Amino acid sequence: GQSLEQPSEVTAVEGAIVQINCTYQTSGFYGLSWYQQHDGGAPTFLSYNALDGLEETGRFSSFLSRSDSYGYLLLQELQMKDSASYFCAVKVQYNFNKFYFGSGTKLNVKP
Amino acid sequence: DARVTQTPRHKVTEMGQEVTMRCQPILGHNTVFWYRQTMMQGLELLAYFRNRAPLDDSGMPKDRFSAEMPDATLATLKIQPSEPRDSAVYFCASGPGLGSTDTQYFGPGTRLTVL
């Protein structure tokens, strides 16, 4: 079976830094993606890590440790518009871009 | 600005009725996915197509659900007969295929309510 664990909810203040963790147990592993979803909206792609280490894209960074089956999304200089749900997703097959999604973390950014 | 489009955006129907949801993937994308999202189950993969061929529909209840790609610009998801437990948001996503990020681009979703 496939198992991805994320905290259900995180609260932080505007301007702060927040880290959303994801641990996984899957039948295969070829990469970890992160998606953002605002209430009533569609998931949008944020980042993808296939190798260990940190990937930075503006205010957002994503980290992967394959040996620990663990990754995280780091959001810096939080803004109110960052209030959304964040999903990690694992690519489980090499030649198929098939992903299993975590249950999501709801981030509440307060003034 | 290329986007995945889905119709209808909202659908309310009665139990037992047939429901058809349509998706137009981004032009040039060769992979299409159907997902279902509920509060209880989260985002579940129902079906996955590459170059219009179904590669994986293991997440789809076979007795009532069917997914097809009649051509490269149209993907359909049908439920017949529909049941109240099918109430969910159904997302279609498309992607440019295997690559460094395997990004998927999601459509706005169809919010289905079965009474």
Side-chain angles (χ1 to χ4, degrees):
Chain A
Q2 323 291 351
S3 171
L4 287 85
E5 297 284 335
Q6 302 180 236
S8 59
E9 193 164 353
V10 172
T11 299
V13 296
E14 214 173 357
I17 299 172
V18 72
Q19 179 174 311
I20 299 173
N21 298 322
C22 174
T23 56
Y24 57 87
Q25 278 188 301
T26 54
S27 55
F29 180 85
Y30 295 94
L32 182 71
S33 291
W34 287 92
Y35 284 80
Q36 178 192 61
Q37 185 179 28
H38 287 98
D39 283 349
T44 56
F45 174 81
L46 292 176
S47 68
Y48 177 76
N49 294 66
L51 303 174
D52 287 359
L54 191 68
E55 297 276 346
E56 297 181 65
T57 309
R59 294 187 298 114
F60 293 3
S61 303
S62 57
F63 172 83
L64 174 65
S65 169
R66 295 173 69 127
S67 59
D68 295 323
S69 298
Y70 163 74
Y72 66 71
L73 180 69
L74 191 73
L75 296 85
Q76 302 182 75
E77 300 171 19
L78 280 175
Q79 302 175 7
M80 297 299 291
K81 67 178 182 179
D82 297 329
S83 292
S85 292
Y86 293 84
F87 296 86
C88 60
V90 169
K91 179 178 176 180
V92 296
Q93 292 178 271
Y94 176 68
N95 58 344
F96 289 177
N97 50 344
K98 174 178 177 177
F99 286 79
Y100 279 98
F101 281 75
S103 54
T105 298
K106 186 167 177 57
L107 172 63
N108 302 302
V109 180
K110 296 188 178 302
Chain B
D1 185 21
R3 296 184 186 190
V4 175
T5 58
Q6 290 186 247
T7 57
R9 293 293 307 277
H10 302 271
K11 176 74 175 179
V12 179
T13 190
E14 292 190 346
M15 184 173 64
Q17 297 298 305
E18 177 178 304
V19 175
T20 298
M21 291 169 270
R22 293 177 174 79
C23 166
Q24 182 172 12
I26 293 173
L27 189 65
H29 282 187
N30 68 349
T31 57
V32 172
F33 307 82
W34 283 104
Y35 290 92
R36 175 170 63 184
Q37 187 174 40
T38 61
M39 289 296 292
M40 294 300 295
Q41 299 296 328
L43 204 58
E44 302 174 275
L45 178 66
L46 297 176
Y48 165 32
F49 290 79
R50 188 162 74 203
N51 296 324
R52 295 177 54 202
L55 293 188
D56 190 333
D57 60 3
S58 58
M60 200 163 66
K62 301 291 191 305
D63 56 337
R64 298 184 299 109
F65 284 60
S66 61
E68 295 179 346
M69 280 201 74
D71 61 60
T73 64
L74 176 65
T76 62
L77 180 67
K78 286 187 182 179
I79 309 175
Q80 168 64 16
S82 58
E83 297 180 2
R85 60 180 167 153
D86 301 328
S87 297
V89 181
Y90 291 82
F91 287 104
C92 174
S94 71
L98 297 174
S100 60
T101 64
D102 298 321
T103 305
Q104 295 181 29
Y105 298 82
F106 283 75
T110 294
R111 184 174 295 274
L112 174 66
T113 303
V114 183
L115 302 174

